[in-house]
Amino acid sequence: MSCLKCLKYTMCLVNFIFFICGAAVFGIGIYLMTSTRFSSLLPSLEAINIANALFIIGIIITCVSFLGFLGALKENRCLLISFFILLFILMLAELAVACALLMYETQIGEFINKDLKSGLESSINHRKNNTNEDDWDTVQKTGCFDKLKNAFDKNLLNTGIGVIVVCIIEVLGMCFSMTLFCHISRSGLGYK
């Protein structure tokens, strides 16, 4: 019984920490969206920029961790199973994206290189768009596509380790939530 209480409070604490981190990422995304206008350097993928990515990632982390925290705290089976399902879907999506990136690495590189050139030509032709020019100046100071690709290739191991760590955390979260879910079912508390 004390192990399950420890599991419950550990799950609450970890999800609370993730909730705070998700809220911080969400807040940074909103701050970046309102303080500066980010333009995408890739004309085909205009919605992809740092502010939007942080905003969406913050929302996902905050919502999922809130479900886990509240489900564990209230010992609510419905919230715990929802937490489990969302974590499982997130893990599958992350693994699918990682596999797609590995399988289509050369095609993605060619697409980005072509789209960057198109974006640069568009920026040159439309000098009115200062934010796009500023973004291109920043890219030229950190190097061009080849340097960015080389940096990514050098950090491929670190990226892989990061993905594995995230997946381990998600699997642990799923195990904890399912253990708590099964305990609540056996104790006959039912759905609250």
Side-chain angles (χ1 to χ4, degrees):
M1 201 58 121
S2 62
C3 288
L4 285 168
K5 283 206 183 270
C6 181
L7 176 69
K8 171 185 171 178
Y9 292 119
T10 300
M11 195 169 161
C12 285
L13 177 65
V14 169
N15 278 300
F16 181 72
I17 291 169
F18 278 116
F19 179 82
I20 298 297
C21 292
V25 169
F26 176 74
I28 291 169
I30 289 177
Y31 173 75
L32 290 176
M33 289 171 90
T34 57
S35 66
T36 57
R37 186 181 173 286
F38 278 90
S39 61
S40 178
L41 299 176
L42 302 174
S44 299
L45 305 171
E46 284 190 33
I48 297 179
N49 61 46
I50 295 171
N52 290 348
L54 290 175
F55 179 77
I56 292 169
I57 290 169
I59 287 174
I60 292 170
I61 292 172
T62 303
C63 292
V64 172
S65 61
F66 182 73
L67 276 177
F69 172 78
L70 198 59
L73 184 67
K74 297 288 186 182
E75 295 184 6
N76 186 307
R77 287 175 48 194
C78 186
L79 292 176
L80 286 171
I81 201 70
S82 298
F83 175 73
F84 176 86
I85 291 169
L86 283 176
L87 273 183
F88 184 70
I89 291 170
L90 280 173
M91 189 176 71
L92 287 180
E94 291 163 4
L95 292 175
V97 168
C99 288
L101 288 175
L102 288 174
M103 287 174 48
Y104 300 108
E105 181 182 2
T106 56
Q107 290 94 335
I108 292 171
E110 291 170 5
F111 169 76
I112 290 175
N113 194 11
K114 183 180 174 184
D115 218 24
L116 282 172
K117 287 180 183 176
S118 171
L120 181 58
E121 290 171 5
S122 173
S123 176
I124 290 170
N125 293 335
H126 301 94
R127 286 287 180 182
K128 299 172 191 167
N129 189 355
N130 291 336
T131 58
N132 205 3
E133 283 181 35
D134 294 341
D135 292 346
W136 272 108
D137 290 342
T138 303
V139 167
Q140 295 302 324
K141 289 177 188 172
T142 62
C144 292
F145 174 74
D146 293 332
K147 286 187 179 181
L148 291 174
K149 186 174 182 337
N150 289 338
F152 179 76
D153 289 342
K154 287 179 186 175
N155 292 314
L156 191 59
L157 178 65
N158 293 337
T159 304
I161 291 171
V163 169
I164 290 170
V165 167
V166 167
C167 285
I168 289 172
I169 290 171
E170 289 172 342
V171 167
L172 285 174
M174 289 188 297
C175 291
F176 286 2
S177 67
M178 194 49 66
T179 303
L180 209 52
F181 177 85
C182 291
H183 168 69
I184 293 167
S185 297
R186 277 196 310 261
S187 65
L189 295 175
Y191 288 99
K192 293 182 183 179

